[in-house]
Amino acid sequence: MLDMELIRKDRDAVAAALAKRLDAAEVDRVLEEIQQLDRERRRLISEIDGERQRRKAEARAYAQAKRAGVEPQVTSDDGRKQVAELEAELDEVQARLRTTMSELPNLPAEDVVPGGKEANRVVKTFGAPPAIEKVRDHVELSRMLGLVDHERGVKLGGSGFWMYTGVGARLEWALINWLIERNIEAGYEFLLPPHLLLDSAGFAAGQFPKFYDDVYHLDKQSAPRGQFLLPTAETAILGAYQDEILDTTKLPLKVFAYTPCYRREAAGSHSDERGTVRGHQFNKVEIFQFTLPEQADAALEQMVNHAESLVEGLGLHYQRSLLAAGDSSASMRKTLDIEVWMPSTGKYKEVSSVSWGGDYQARRAAIRYREPGGKQTRFVHTLNGSALATSRLLPAILEQFQQPDGSVLVPEVLRPRLATDRLTPH
């Protein structure tokens, strides 16, 4: 949620920032609607306060007249709205204002450029693409090595699902455990949240109302309060701290969670989205920080460096990209993607998005802090990042470490967990 005070004070700056993401004419229309609703809200509040003061004054005058034995003068209410009627109007205006405000995306940071994927900028590269004479893709390799059963996955869940088998299941679990250990070493507290969340968590994260249809919802009869399967642990972590005032001495608060993620993805038939690259259920380890505003820049750099250290620890070639405004999550001010090289397609695929949300999510979730000795509360800043998404790590490992005989070298850090340095065809 954007700051209403900022819109009042510097509408032009807000409009210019939003125009990086949205049509400028639409931005002006929505901001004008918001300011009209805000003026109406303040007018009604003033009228309600005035009416309450008038009634109090009349009540005092009536009581004084009675005590003095004088016949009280009663003012007619003809043509004057009752407080309850004004309050009902105020509730309606505030609901409309909240809905309109909630549909606006976050303001992109100054160094984030307008545009979509075409405007993303590579800012770092690690290593070089491996030289492979005859490239096999990860789907072929996973079948040769008996790691993933795509056919039975579809039989169980339909298109966009798969099932890890044998050493493939062990490799997936080894990756998850290694990532968990590395995140703990980096000072993050481990959480295992519920996978079913209330709709309030989706609103807090900025996914609802705009992206309401992108997740799997329970029917209203089963979940009268509204529940959905989490699309990312970010939603659960943020929702867990809704309506809290965090201890300033404990900020930045660093937590992480492992969960499966459930999404209504357009499961791909394109060559670069086959296999486990895109689907409706996948595993991910997510890191998250709640910070003071002045801590956010350092936290973003720290989180990006940590996520990259995980990819480097696996020995994978990757690049870092600064996303343009139109390719970033609507809730985020700035996003940096870490993308691994996929030899079979000659393209990079994102395994981590590390993002800074400013106070946008905190406003929606009412997550605040209070300065020591102070009374006023302020909103924290939130940052999140994948550390990492394993459904794309496994394809990158298979493709980057494949050998001419069809075997695949196991990353050194995972060899003790699998008790082998090489996966060989059955």
Side-chain angles (χ1 to χ4, degrees):
M1 193 87 75
L2 298 184
D3 183 359
M4 188 68 236
E5 188 64 26
L6 179 61
I7 295 175
R8 291 191 199 116
K9 288 182 175 179
D10 202 347
R11 170 175 161 168
D12 288 346
V14 172
L18 288 175
K20 290 182 177 183
R21 283 190 155 129
L22 305 171
D23 176 72
E26 178 65 9
V27 169
D28 284 338
R29 184 195 67 76
V30 173
L31 290 181
E32 180 60 31
E33 180 182 353
I34 285 171
Q35 289 193 296
Q36 287 178 356
L37 288 168
D38 180 50
R39 288 191 289 269
E40 179 66 7
R41 182 185 69 86
R42 287 187 287 169
R43 183 193 68 77
L44 286 167
I45 290 173
S46 177
E47 190 172 344
I48 290 168
D49 288 344
E51 184 65 14
R52 285 173 175 161
Q53 291 299 322
R54 183 188 69 80
R55 289 176 180 274
K56 285 181 181 179
E58 288 182 354
R60 285 194 296 268
Y62 185 93
Q64 289 172 357
K66 279 291 189 182
R67 287 196 296 269
V70 178
E71 184 65 27
Q73 292 184 349
V74 179
T75 304
S76 172
D77 282 341
D78 291 347
R80 187 177 280 125
K81 288 184 177 180
Q82 297 295 315
V83 171
E85 186 180 355
L86 291 169
E87 287 178 333
E89 289 183 26
L90 177 61
D91 287 344
E92 181 184 352
V93 168
Q94 289 187 145
R96 288 168 57 199
L97 178 59
R98 180 175 175 81
T99 297
T100 307
M101 286 283 287
S102 71
E103 292 173 348
L104 280 178
N106 205 344
L107 304 181
E110 290 184 6
D111 59 342
V112 173
V113 300
K117 289 181 182 293
E118 75 287 346
N120 293 348
R121 181 166 59 92
V122 176
V123 294
K124 176 185 175 180
T125 301
F126 174 80
I132 304 171
E133 186 174 338
K134 182 183 177 182
V135 177
R136 295 181 173 93
D137 71 22
H138 59 279
V139 177
E140 180 184 357
L141 288 165
S142 68
R143 284 179 173 143
M144 289 172 57
L145 299 169
L147 308 179
V148 182
D149 193 326
H150 299 282
E151 290 74 20
R152 289 193 173 99
V154 172
K155 183 192 296 184
L156 285 170
S159 177
F161 291 90
W162 58 83
M163 182 169 67
Y164 296 107
T165 57
V167 178
R170 291 174 56 203
L171 177 56
E172 175 76 358
W173 210 242
L175 275 169
I176 293 168
N177 278 306
W178 181 72
L179 294 170
I180 288 170
E181 290 173 6
R182 289 295 306 275
N183 289 327
I184 291 172
E185 290 170 4
Y188 289 84
E189 181 183 358
F190 189 19
L191 307 176
L192 284 174
H195 297 179
L196 274 174
L197 307 180
L198 293 172
D199 282 359
S200 57
F203 178 86
Q207 289 154 346
F208 301 166
K210 187 172 183 180
F211 302 106
Y212 186 85
D213 293 332
D214 290 352
V215 301
Y216 293 100
H217 296 271
L218 269 66
D219 64 87
K220 292 297 182 182
Q221 185 175 358
S222 301
R225 295 176 63 187
Q227 279 182 297
F228 63 101
L229 282 167
L230 85 174
T232 168
E234 169 201 343
T235 313
I237 294 171
L238 182 79
Y241 290 87
Q242 288 177 88
D243 303 311
E244 293 190 21
I245 298 175
L246 304 182
D247 185 345
T248 309
T249 63
K250 294 181 179 179
L251 297 179
L253 175 60
K254 300 167 62 176
V255 295
F256 82 97
Y258 155 70
T259 66
C261 302
Y262 309 92
R263 300 183 186 179
R264 293 184 183 275
E265 296 277 11
S269 57
H270 297 297
S271 61
D272 61 335
E273 295 187 344
R274 297 175 64 231
T276 66
V277 169
R278 184 179 295 276
H280 302 302
Q281 178 185 328
F282 58 93
N283 292 316
K284 183 157 67 75
V285 181
E286 185 84 4
I287 55 175
F288 201 102
Q289 288 199 36
F290 300 90
T291 74
L292 299 173
E294 60 269 24
Q295 296 170 333
D297 284 344
L300 180 63
E301 182 177 1
Q302 178 193 73
M303 292 172 73
V304 171
N305 290 337
H306 173 61
E308 288 181 343
S309 75
L310 299 175
V311 185
E312 291 175 15
L314 293 167
L316 294 169
H317 164 56
Y318 71 88
Q319 67 181 21
R320 180 204 300 181
S321 295
L322 174 60
L323 299 194
D327 198 31
S328 301
S329 165
S331 300
M332 296 300 139
R333 296 204 65 195
K334 183 175 182 177
T335 296
L336 292 145
D337 271 7
I338 299 163
E339 303 157 335
V340 292
W341 175 249
M342 302 295 291
S344 67
T345 61
K347 296 180 181 179
Y348 291 87
K349 277 293 179 183
E350 171 251 315
V351 292
S352 176
S353 281
V354 183
S355 301
W356 164 48
D359 62 6
Y360 183 90
Q361 291 178 315
R363 285 181 181 278
R364 300 172 76 101
I367 305 174
R368 296 149 289 159
Y369 68 94
R370 182 180 287 114
E371 295 285 0
K375 293 183 179 180
Q376 186 177 3
T377 61
R378 301 182 186 278
F379 293 105
V380 300
H381 280 210
T382 60
L383 303 98
N384 70 85
S386 317
L388 299 161
T390 58
S391 61
R392 292 183 176 178
L393 276 181
L394 191 143
I397 289 170
L398 296 181
E399 292 199 10
Q400 290 198 32
F401 296 148
Q402 63 181 292
Q403 302 300 301
D405 63 357
S407 65
V408 172
L409 297 180
V410 176
E412 287 189 21
V413 295
L414 301 180
R415 290 175 184 177
R417 300 172 189 273
L418 295 177
T420 184
D421 63 355
R422 185 185 298 261
L423 306 177
T424 55
H426 290 179

